[in-house]
Amino acid sequence: MIWQQFLSLAGSYPLALRGLGMTVVLSLISLVLGTLLGFGLGILRTGSNRLIASVIGAWVDLIRGTPFLVQIFLIFFILPEFGIELDAFTAGIIALTNLAACFICEIVAAGIRSVPTGQVEAALASGLSRWQRMRQVVLPQAMRIVLPPLVGQYVLLIKDSSVVSAIGLTDLTRVGWLVVQRVPNGLLVFFLVGVGYFIVCYPLIMLARRLERRMGAAHGEVQL
């Protein structure tokens, strides 16, 4: 019985590869766009303009405080009511990019705030512009704090990408639902789906651990 199910799963191998590829592409595009947008929002979040910082903070809190499934449903099902038609792939990219940007914004803002005030004041006394201070002094130091949680956030985003299956996008999770209709062994099918996500996420998990160890070692050296 189990052997027959494995043979049936083997026949779904091309579909599984397609789903895995969709998950990787969707996650990669969202990670790149979300990182760029998140860094920009994080810099503005710590800027001197309180109005912009407050608006960004309110949006970040809203996105972080509501379920991602609700967000993607609003983008895919509600926006057409206002004349904005989006296919499932575009809706998934927008939702994941927005989610990633909001979490990365807070990570970057925390990293920037962790830079000693004296460093910023010294750069200001040197006559550097705000952008020069940010690029040459603040961000290089903040990245030591930002990198480990940033990579960890990438892992979470890849796992969150499974939600796009709810709007019909054929990612790895959606493939699992399609296969389980032919192979009535949900435990086996979704175990393999989980293995697929693990294969994608594990290198990032190891990278995050390595960065944490390196940052911890560097911090220990400073304390000595």
Side-chain angles (χ1 to χ4, degrees):
M1 182 67 177
I2 297 294
W3 178 247
Q4 292 177 344
Q5 292 177 349
F6 268 110
L7 290 178
S8 298
L9 286 174
S12 303
Y13 180 73
L15 182 61
L17 281 183
R18 176 186 171 191
L20 181 61
M22 176 60 72
T23 294
V24 171
V25 170
L26 187 72
S27 300
L28 182 60
I29 295 175
S30 301
L31 286 176
V32 172
L33 296 178
T35 299
L36 294 174
L37 183 58
F39 266 80
L41 292 175
I43 292 172
L44 292 174
R45 182 95 158 86
T46 56
S48 57
N49 192 315
R50 293 187 177 182
L51 177 60
I52 293 178
S54 298
V55 171
I56 293 175
W59 180 254
V60 168
D61 289 342
L62 176 65
I63 297 303
R64 295 176 67 193
T66 54
F68 180 55
L69 182 62
V70 173
Q71 297 169 25
I72 200 168
F73 276 177
L74 288 173
I75 292 173
F76 188 67
F77 294 113
I78 304 302
L79 286 184
E81 299 292 331
F82 299 93
I84 304 176
E85 295 284 347
L86 297 173
D87 58 81
F89 183 79
T90 304
I93 290 292
I94 292 174
L96 281 169
T97 297
N98 181 54
L99 182 70
C102 288
F103 278 93
I104 292 172
C105 168
E106 288 299 283
I107 293 172
V108 172
I112 291 174
R113 294 187 182 110
S114 71
V115 176
T117 306
Q119 298 283 340
V120 180
E121 292 175 348
L124 181 61
S126 300
L128 297 178
S129 66
R130 184 175 185 274
W131 169 242
Q132 289 175 325
R133 295 196 303 271
M134 185 63 65
R135 181 170 58 88
Q136 299 178 19
V137 178
V138 177
L139 284 180
Q141 297 183 65
M143 288 303 294
R144 298 176 182 178
I145 306 298
V146 167
L147 279 177
L150 182 63
V151 177
Q153 185 57 47
Y154 289 166
V155 174
L156 294 177
L157 182 71
I158 293 172
K159 293 189 292 184
D160 285 339
S161 70
S162 62
V163 177
V164 302
S165 62
I167 58 174
L169 198 62
T170 310
D171 69 328
L172 191 56
T173 300
R174 180 70 175 176
V175 168
W177 285 113
L178 295 175
V179 172
V180 81
Q181 296 175 18
R182 293 182 293 174
V183 182
N185 190 333
L187 180 61
L188 176 61
V189 171
F190 283 100
F191 169 77
L192 295 176
V193 169
V195 169
Y197 279 103
F198 178 77
I199 291 172
V200 176
C201 293
Y202 186 68
L204 290 175
I205 293 173
M206 296 304 296
L207 177 60
R209 289 178 180 173
R210 183 176 180 181
L211 289 172
E212 286 173 356
R213 287 195 297 267
R214 292 185 62 180
M215 297 303 105
H219 180 71
E221 291 173 1
V222 171
Q223 293 299 323
L224 292 175

